[in-house]
Amino acid sequence: GGGAPLLHLLSTSPLAIWSVEDPFGLGSDAGRCSVLTVGPGADWALAAAKQEKASSPPLLVNGRHVNLGCPQLVWISGAGALLLHSPLDMLAPQLLLEKPQDQSVRAHTLHSPVLKPVETSRRLRPSPEECFVAIPVACKCPADAEALEYAASNSVLFFQPSRRRLVQLDIVQCRTREIWLDSLTAKDGKGLLDAKSRVTAAAATATTLGTELLLTFQPSAVNGVLLSVHFPAASSASSAAAAPKARWVEAEPLATRASGCLSPSALPSGPGSGLVALPFGSESATCFGAEDTSLASILDGQADDRGCRACSILVEQPPAKHSTSSGSPVEPEAASDDELAWLAESATEMKTARQQCRQRDVLVASSQLLVRGLETKEGDDWLEAVHVASGTVRRFPAWPQSEQADSSAQEVTRLLSWPSEDASRSPLCVAAFRSGRLRWLEA
């Protein structure tokens, strides 16, 4: 949310928006939690969709899987409001909410003809395969962004996988523009996009000139080729935004597993898993998580003479065994009571090997810190914090062992970053559990 740190969460059955105030703030509102129920129309549509067998796989949006037809919550910084995208709800497919945490909440139902599935003209509700998926663009709102047409802070992108349609919705200026990928990519004559190609991942980032969207296809006619669609914004309040353009981006494959070169425009985060969109003009090294056995991947900030950035991975090494030296042994210092209590608490280790754990979610808390949610074979969840600068990793139970709870309640569903106004403070992240419980973690 805007202003003071505020966390918005979306839950289903029933569909509701939860708003959590800053627990570290001052005053009586610190840590206050409020709930806003959306209505029975969306619950009925979601319950009916569960009875149908989904034939389309989920889409990887900004590094996270999104099931088709699933409701999404998007923060529009330029409008200072939340956008609830509930494509199966025919009464309110897009709902704009202002200050959902207050009693003076204002809701506006948005009906855009271009966001209506073509196949549902004679049906009561669309199927999940016919729905649009929202692609959020995280960016700060400039001072003059409200007057600019299709500014990144005022807009949100939607993609329909079945028809390969892209729609950009400007919330502030109340404008929409529609793009068909088949007609947009047919102008270059490369023939890289055929009827069998399916979009598997999408990542959006804000640039100085608008919004850039990166798409991957499977199967692809040429491996390592990505599609970049640029949505220009208006340069001034009196001018109109230019038409979107598309270009093919070729990413060089990794030379070895340890290092290689990649295009600075897009970075694959794993074998067919998705994309990582970097902020425009960023020259600092950044880390990202891939779905493999490596702890983290690091992308250099500076490009080489060919315009490529070197990429390396961080792999966990087994602890080295201390060899007995010929010299006299060094007696260890006696630990205090506080240190003994800390050692007893931190001595807990996972019973399941790291490579056998399943990754639930991953969060890039900062350019040097990566946090994962892991599921072990025993059914309990753990959190893994990787500090790239020091090359260290820590793992601890996601749920406090002193509190007994059902295994389903301990499941980590999302890892979210928590904004902090204090620059000297360590990054904070929020672990959201399926039971609705939240844990604030300071890495």
Side-chain angles (χ1 to χ4, degrees):
L6 190 66
L7 180 66
H8 298 289
L9 298 173
L10 182 65
S11 64
T12 56
S13 300
L15 190 64
I17 299 175
W18 302 79
S19 301
V20 183
E21 304 280 350
D22 186 7
F24 305 100
L26 302 177
S28 59
D29 292 338
R32 184 186 64 173
C33 180
S34 57
V35 60
L36 177 65
T37 56
V38 177
D43 297 329
W44 170 82
L46 290 174
K50 289 182 179 180
Q51 300 178 0
E52 302 178 0
K53 294 183 179 179
S55 58
S56 299
L59 182 69
L60 199 63
V61 178
N62 292 338
R64 283 171 171 166
H65 292 281
V66 176
N67 294 322
L68 300 184
C70 179
Q72 296 174 261
L73 198 62
V74 181
W75 170 253
I76 311 297
S77 58
L82 286 172
L83 178 65
L84 174 61
H85 174 58
S86 183
L88 295 178
D89 187 3
M90 299 306 297
L91 298 178
Q94 284 82 38
L95 190 64
L96 190 66
L97 301 168
E98 299 179 4
K99 297 181 179 181
Q101 72 278 7
D102 295 340
Q103 296 181 355
S104 59
V105 57
R106 297 179 59 185
H108 309 274
T109 303
L110 307 180
H111 290 279
S112 179
V114 295
L115 289 177
K116 182 179 180 181
V118 180
E119 299 88 346
T120 58
S121 57
R122 298 182 180 180
R123 297 177 54 181
L124 182 61
R125 65 172 181 86
S127 63
E129 289 75 14
E130 301 165 351
C131 296
F132 281 85
V133 175
I135 305 176
V137 182
C139 62
K140 296 182 179 180
C141 180
D144 57 345
E146 183 177 356
L148 300 180
E149 187 180 43
Y150 294 112
S153 58
N154 304 338
S155 306
V156 60
L157 297 176
F158 296 91
F159 177 66
Q160 186 185 24
S162 60
R163 293 279 179 160
R164 294 197 287 206
R165 297 165 58 198
L166 279 171
V167 174
Q168 186 181 23
L169 174 62
D170 190 335
I171 301 297
V172 178
Q173 297 289 336
C174 300
R175 297 178 181 271
T176 58
R177 51 182 174 182
E178 180 185 12
I179 300 171
W180 294 72
L181 289 184
D182 295 339
S183 60
L184 192 64
T185 58
K187 300 178 182 179
D188 55 13
K190 288 187 177 181
L192 298 177
L193 183 61
D194 52 19
K196 297 182 180 180
S197 300
R198 177 178 59 87
V199 176
T200 58
T205 182
T207 69
T208 55
L209 301 178
T211 305
E212 185 172 3
L213 177 67
L214 303 171
L215 301 172
T216 57
F217 298 89
Q218 187 182 11
S220 178
V222 180
N223 293 328
V225 176
L226 316 170
L227 180 62
S228 172
V229 184
H230 185 245
F231 296 86
S235 58
S236 62
S238 59
S239 62
K245 297 181 180 180
R247 63 185 178 96
W248 294 101
V249 179
E250 297 183 3
E252 298 184 12
L254 290 174
T256 61
R257 182 169 176 79
S259 62
C261 294
L262 292 170
S263 169
S265 300
L267 190 64
S269 61
S273 61
L275 298 171
V276 174
L278 301 177
F280 182 79
S282 175
E283 295 184 353
S284 59
T286 184
C287 66
F288 62 96
E291 295 182 356
D292 53 16
T293 57
S294 62
L295 295 177
S297 300
I298 303 98
L299 180 70
D300 288 348
Q302 299 294 333
D304 57 12
D305 298 337
R306 297 178 300 168
C308 299
R309 301 187 186 185
C311 181
S312 58
I313 63 174
L314 189 64
V315 181
E316 185 175 9
Q317 299 291 340
K321 297 182 179 180
H322 297 284
S323 60
T324 304
S325 59
S326 59
S328 58
V330 179
E331 294 292 336
E333 297 181 359
S336 61
D337 295 340
D338 295 339
E339 291 174 341
L340 290 175
W342 181 86
L343 290 174
E345 181 181 358
S346 61
T348 306
E349 296 182 358
M350 290 193 306
K351 298 180 181 180
T352 305
R354 170 62 176 83
Q355 58 271 17
Q356 297 178 353
C357 297
R358 187 175 71 91
Q359 178 177 294
R360 290 196 183 273
D361 197 14
V362 59
L363 170 68
V364 181
S366 66
S367 60
Q368 298 294 330
L369 181 63
L370 189 141
V371 183
R372 279 190 182 91
L374 302 176
E375 180 190 10
T376 63
K377 285 187 175 182
E378 289 76 15
D380 52 347
D381 283 24
W382 286 62
L383 295 179
E384 177 184 79
V386 181
H387 190 249
V388 178
S390 60
T392 57
V393 57
R394 291 184 59 190
R395 299 185 182 96
F396 48 91
W399 193 275
Q401 294 183 341
S402 58
E403 302 180 14
Q404 300 295 330
D406 185 69
S407 59
S408 60
Q410 302 179 24
E411 179 181 336
V412 177
T413 57
R414 274 289 182 264
L415 294 174
L416 307 169
S417 59
W418 182 260
S420 178
E421 298 179 356
D422 188 1
S424 61
R425 193 174 191 175
S426 301
L428 294 174
C429 67
V430 180
F433 295 85
R434 185 167 297 277
S435 60
R437 185 169 179 173
L438 302 177
R439 288 192 68 190
W440 272 258
L441 306 173
E442 183 175 3

